[in-house]
Amino acid sequence: GRDPIDARRGPVVYGDSLSGRLFADVTIARGHDVGAIEATEAGAVAAAARYRPDLMIVDAGLRGGSGLSAVDEILRTGFIPHVFVSGEISRILALKPEAIVLEKPCRDVDLERAIQRALDRAAPS
């Protein structure tokens, strides 16, 4: 279900409540506000429309669908930097070779590096 941490615009984390909370802690530690934690595909799409986040951390296995299809839907309205987190990164990379993907379980430092890569990729060159 919904577990909003902060209503200000910031990263939105999509995953089950435990991993979502861990990812949120890392993003908060990096100085970002977290807009929401969502556990379902429908919730992820709705939260992205509501918060217009500047970053998304997306678990590939969302309830009621998948993180990949949620991101496909969200990106129809414009690009948002994103990082996928999955226990099966090869499956995601087969579908999205350009994706930034972290394998679960991941260390905080790996998540921080992936976030930076996603933000750098979105920066105008």
Side-chain angles (χ1 to χ4, degrees):
R2 270 182 9 100
D3 182 15
I5 294 176
D6 192 307
R8 292 171 292 179
R9 183 171 180 265
V12 175
V13 179
Y14 307 123
D16 63 73
S17 58
L18 177 60
S19 64
R21 178 66 66 185
L22 293 172
F23 300 148
D25 288 347
V26 172
T27 58
I28 290 167
R30 292 191 83 236
H32 296 287
D33 298 322
V34 172
I37 299 174
E38 297 288 344
T40 66
E41 180 179 329
V45 172
R50 186 181 322 117
Y51 292 104
R52 295 306 306 158
D54 51 12
L55 171 71
M56 299 182 295
I57 300 169
V58 184
D59 192 317
L62 292 177
R63 289 198 309 267
S66 81
L68 278 76
S69 52
V71 168
D72 287 344
E73 179 71 23
I74 291 163
L75 296 186
R76 287 184 186 156
T77 59
F79 184 77
I80 298 172
H82 53 281
V83 174
F84 288 105
V85 183
S86 175
E88 304 175 46
I89 61 173
S90 58
R91 187 177 68 85
I92 294 177
L93 290 172
L95 296 168
K96 296 186 175 295
E98 299 298 313
I100 298 172
V101 188
L102 273 178
E103 188 162 23
K104 292 193 289 188
C106 58
R107 300 174 307 162
D108 289 2
V109 66
D110 296 326
L111 180 57
E112 288 174 13
R113 283 191 193 119
I115 289 170
Q116 193 57 56
R117 283 177 52 215
L119 294 173
D120 289 348
R121 184 179 285 180
S125 38

